[in-house]
Each structure stands twice: as C-alpha cells, then as structure tokens.
Amino acid sequence: MPKKHPQRVALPVSLAFVLGCGGPPTVEPEVSVALSPSKVSSDGKPAIVTVQTTDELGKPGKGSVYVESSAGSLSGGATLPLDAQGTASTELTCDVKTDAACGSDVVIVSAKWKTAKGRSVSATFSSALVGITVAPPPCDGSVVNGSWKRADGLTWVMTASQCALHGTAEVTGFTHAATGTYNPSSKTWPWPVTRTNTTTHCSTVMTVTATLLDPTHIRMSCTGTDGRCELPASYTETSDYTKL
C-alpha cells in the first residue's frame, strides 16, 4: 500500500509590515530671526522683526517666543505669541536721539523659544545700524560773557560765541586783548594775552590760563611771557576777577 505524504498548502503572504514602533521621526527644533529691512535705521524708522519656529516633529512651533535687542525699542525684551504657522512679528525702532546705544555700528536681535517638550532653542541676528549721526550739543561758553573786575580796577569785557571767547581790558598806558576756547568740562580756557604799551606800541604776549571758579569769579594765572617790552620772560602772576 503506497505511503501517504502530508499535503502542503500554500498560504498567502501578508503584505502588511510594521514599519516602526517608536513613533514618527524627530528633528532638531529650530528658531530663526529675520529683519526687514535687514539694516536698521538709527533715525527711528521701523524695521520688522520676524521669528520662525519649528518643533521636533518638523511642525510649526507653538506657544510664545521672547525677543530682545541690544539697542532700541526691544532692548527691554518682549514676549510674542506664535501664530498657526509658528511665526511672530513685531517692530523694532532705534533712534540715536533718544537712545545712545543706537549710535553703535550694529544692533543684535535675539529670540528664545521653548518647545512643547521643554527644549530651549535660541537664535540671533546682527543688523548694521545706518542713518543719522547726532552731533554733540553746541558748546556753550555764555557763562563767561560779561565784565570781570580785578581788585585794582583792571576790568575784562568778555564775549562768547559758543565756546570761542574774546576779551579786552584797558588800564592806564596799556591795552589787553585775548582769545581762547572754553572747556565746559574743566571750566578752563587758554588765554594768551597781548599786552600793548599805548605809548611805545610795544606788545608782550603773556601765557595765561583762565579758570571759572564759580559763576561770579574767574582766576587768571600767568606763567610767563615772550620776554618783549616791559615784562621779562619769567614774569608770573595770579589774579582773581569778580563778575560785575
């Protein structure tokens, strides 16, 4: 009797495969900062700061982003909500007239964001500052304007054009004239005095420095002369003057 062999049955092969069991792939979250225009004007014209975020799944970020600038209107920082595209925008202005930091060469804008999973990411954008340069306020030497009298009666009459000073003084037999530039910080000015003999018309140049002691008193210190006429080169004197 022939031996029977077990019957083999071909089974269909399943085409369903498990492609992964760890969830969707992840990427590095990102945040970026852009400015439009890319160069910030230092005269207060606004630039638009735009922040773009992407989370670990490559999707638009959620939540809020913190934006701060090294100068200008965002120097105190601002928290901005992210929209459905993971972006946030705001204005940045930088006016050197009201913020001295806007007189630098660049302004740096930074953005910091924390993903839903708690990861912190940040980015910066450096923008050149362009525009106006504010000149320092004009020098004011008007505090020296007026008449200043020495104890022996010699009186200087001084006038100031900003910090450019001019003065004259007369005493029997002599005239004096001088020009100088007032320094508001030290309250001093070089005061080379030309002393002229009204009879011989011989002039001596005296090396003098003047100091504003207070609003009503000036001190003039002579440390030498050019050695001409009546005064030797070694001549020195210090005199105080009171404002009339």
Side-chain angles (χ1 to χ4, degrees):
M1 189 173 176
K3 188 176 180 180
K4 293 183 178 180
H5 295 281
Q7 188 176 8
R8 293 180 180 180
V9 179
L11 298 176
V13 179
S14 174
L15 298 179
F17 291 90
V18 177
L19 299 179
C21 59
T26 62
V27 296
E28 287 296 318
E30 293 183 352
V31 59
S32 62
V33 185
L35 269 71
S36 179
S38 59
K39 294 182 178 180
V40 177
S41 175
S42 61
D43 61 2
K45 293 178 182 177
I48 302 300
V49 178
T50 301
V51 180
Q52 176 71 54
T53 61
T54 306
D55 67 13
E56 295 92 339
L57 301 178
K59 296 181 179 181
K62 296 181 180 180
S64 61
V65 61
Y66 180 80
V67 180
E68 188 175 19
S69 62
S70 60
S73 58
L74 294 175
S75 58
T79 300
L80 309 175
L82 296 170
D83 62 20
Q85 286 73 46
T87 64
S89 297
T90 189
E91 281 190 354
L92 169 65
T93 59
C94 210
D95 192 342
V96 71
K97 294 179 182 177
T98 57
D99 185 350
C102 294
S104 61
D105 294 331
V106 298
V107 59
I108 299 173
V109 181
S110 61
K112 298 177 182 178
W113 172 60
K114 183 176 288 187
T115 71
K117 293 185 177 182
R119 291 193 60 180
S120 296
V121 286
S122 61
T124 60
F125 185 96
S126 295
S127 171
L129 276 164
V130 296
I132 62 173
T133 300
V134 175
C139 183
D140 184 10
S142 61
V143 66
V144 180
N145 279 332
S147 298
W148 303 81
K149 186 176 182 179
R150 196 167 65 179
D152 64 359
L154 178 64
T155 301
W156 278 95
V157 178
M158 299 186 187
T159 57
S161 175
Q162 294 188 9
C163 280
L165 307 181
H166 174 73
T168 58
E170 293 186 10
V171 69
T172 303
F174 295 92
T175 62
H176 302 75
T179 58
T181 301
Y182 180 66
N183 184 329
S185 298
S186 63
K187 297 182 180 180
T188 62
W189 60 101
W191 199 236
V193 175
T194 301
R195 176 180 184 267
T196 302
N197 186 311
T198 57
T199 301
T200 64
H201 304 292
C202 185
S203 295
T204 305
V205 178
M206 306 169 66
T207 302
V208 177
T209 298
T211 303
L212 181 69
L213 301 177
D214 58 50
T216 59
H217 294 90
I218 284 175
R219 176 168 294 160
M220 294 189 188
S221 298
C222 174
T223 57
T225 78
D226 61 1
R228 301 183 69 243
C229 311
E230 300 86 4
L231 298 179
S234 59
Y235 177 82
T236 62
E237 72 170 19
T238 296
S239 303
D240 289 345
Y241 294 78
T242 300
K243 195 169 189 178
L244 298 178

